[in-house]
C-alpha cells in the first residue's frame, strides 16, 4: 500500500519556467489537498478537492493551478515559476468526513532561481 | 475563519525531562476536530492524535498525553520523560465544517542527550 506518492522529490527551476508536481493516492480517498511549507509559517493550504471534477482555492492559491480528473490523481501546476514559490510542497488525502486525519506524501522540495 | 496559534517557536530540553507544547485555536464552528502531527528531521508528516470538540477527556498514550480544554480553546501536548528521538517539529491543526485543515506554525522540539 503506497499511500500518497509525490513526484519529484526535488526540483530546481528557473524563474518563468513551468512544471507540474504530481500526487497520487491509492486509498480511494475523496479529499485531496496541496500545502506549501515555509520556515516559521507552518503548512498553508494552496488548493483542495472534495472529489473528482471538483476543486477549490485555499489560503494561498495565486500562481498555482490544479485539476482532479480522477479520484487518484491531483497534480499541482506552476505556470510561471517565481522565486517566492521556493518551498516544500506536500500533498495530502483523506476520506471525506471531517474527523478523518489527512495522510501526507513525503513532500517535494522546490527551488526557483 | 479558523486559526491555530503555537506560541512556542522552539523548545530545548534535556533527555528525560517532561515537556508541554501549547496550542490555542479559534473557530466559529461548534463541531470541529483537532490534530497533532509530528515532522521528524527526515521531513515526513506523521499523524499523532485526533480530538473532537465534544470530547474533553484527556488522553494518554505511552509517554504522550493530550489536554483538551474547550473553555480556553487549548489542546496541549505533553511528552513525559523525553527522548532524543522525540526531536522534531510538532504541528497542531484544526479541521472544521469546511473540511480545510488549518495548521499552526509549529514548535521545534530539541531533546538533548
Amino acid at each position: 500500500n503506497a499511500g500518497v506518492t509525490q513526484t519529484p522529490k526535488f526540483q530546481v527551476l528557473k524563474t518563468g519556467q513551468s512544471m507540474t508536481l504530481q500526487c497520487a493516492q491509492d486509498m480511494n480517498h475523496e479529499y485531496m489537498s496541496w500545502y506549501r511549507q515555509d520556515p516559521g509559517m507552518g503548512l498553508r493550504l494552496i488548493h483542495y478537492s472534495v472529489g473528482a471534477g471538483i476543486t477549490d482555492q485555499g489560503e494561498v492559491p495565486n500562481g498555482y493551478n490544479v485539476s482532479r480528473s480522477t479520484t487518484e490523481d491531483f497534480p499541482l501546476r506552476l505556470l510561471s515559476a517565481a522565486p517566492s514559490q521556493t518551498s516544500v510542497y506536500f500533498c495530502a488525502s483523506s476520506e471525506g468526513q471531517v474527523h478523518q486525519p489527512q495522510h501526507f506524501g513525503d513532500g517535494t522540495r522546490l527551488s526557483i532561481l | 475563519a479558523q486559526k491555530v496559534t503555537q506560541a512556542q517557536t522552539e523548545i530545548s530540553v534535556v533527555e528525560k525531562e517532561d515537556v508541554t507544547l501549547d496550542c490555542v485555536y479559534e473557530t466559529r464552528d461548534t463541531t470541529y476536530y483537532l490534530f497533532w502531527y509530528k515532522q521528524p528531521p527526515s521531513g515526513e508528516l506523521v499523524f499523532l492524535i485526533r480530538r473532537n470538540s465534544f470530547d474533553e477527556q484527556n488522553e494518554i498514550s505511552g509517554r504522550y498525553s493530550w489536554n483538551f480544554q474547550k473553555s480556553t480553546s487549548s489542546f496541549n501536548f505533553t511528552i513525559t520523560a523525553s527522548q532524543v528521538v522525540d526531536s522534531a517539529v510538532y504541528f497542531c491543526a484544526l479541521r472544521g465544517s469546511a473540511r480545510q485543515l488549518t495548521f499552526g506554525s509549529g514548535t521545534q522540539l530539541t531533546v538533548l542527550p
Side-chain angles (χ1 to χ4, degrees), chain A residues 31 35 37 40 42-43 45 48 50 90 94 96 98-102 104, chain B residues 33 35 37 39 43-45 47 50 91 95-96 99-101 103-105:
Chain A
Y31 189 95
Y35 298 85
Q37 182 178 16
L43 281 81
L45 182 65
Y48 65 98
V50 299
F90 286 95
S94 70
V98 173
H99 70 278
Q100 296 293 348
Q102 293 198 17
F104 285 83
Chain B
Y33 289 81
F35 302 83
Y37 284 85
Q39 186 177 42
E44 73 273 22
L45 283 152
F47 164 67
R50 167 189 64 209
F91 291 100
R95 198 176 195 191
R99 293 191 282 181
Q100 297 180 34
L101 191 62
F103 284 84
S105 55

Side-chain angles (χ1 to χ4, degrees), chain B residues 17 82 91:
Chain B
E17 287 184 353
S82 60
F91 291 100

Side-chain angles (χ1 to χ4, degrees), chain A residues 12 15 21 23 25 27 29 35 38-42 47 52 56 64-65 77 81 89 91-92 107:
Chain A
V12 179
T15 297
L21 307 186
C23 177
Q25 52 93 7
M27 297 172 282
H29 284 166
Y35 298 85
D38 301 296
M41 302 188 75
H47 285 286
D56 207 345
Y64 307 95
N65 280 349
R77 297 183 184 85
Y89 291 85
C91 179

Side-chain angles (χ1 to χ4, degrees), chain B residues 74-89:
Chain B
S74 65
F75 185 41
N76 298 335
F77 172 32
T78 298
I79 302 175
T80 302
S82 60
Q83 300 176 1
V84 173
V85 293
D86 295 327
S87 297
V89 181

Side-chain angles (χ1 to χ4, degrees), chain B residues 39-60:
Chain B
Q39 186 177 42
S42 51
E44 73 273 22
L45 283 152
V46 179
F47 164 67
L48 294 177
I49 192 173
R50 167 189 64 209
R51 220 47 183 160
N52 74 56
S53 52
F54 297 105
D55 183 2
E56 292 193 65
Q57 206 167 29
N58 293 327
E59 181 166 341
I60 298 174

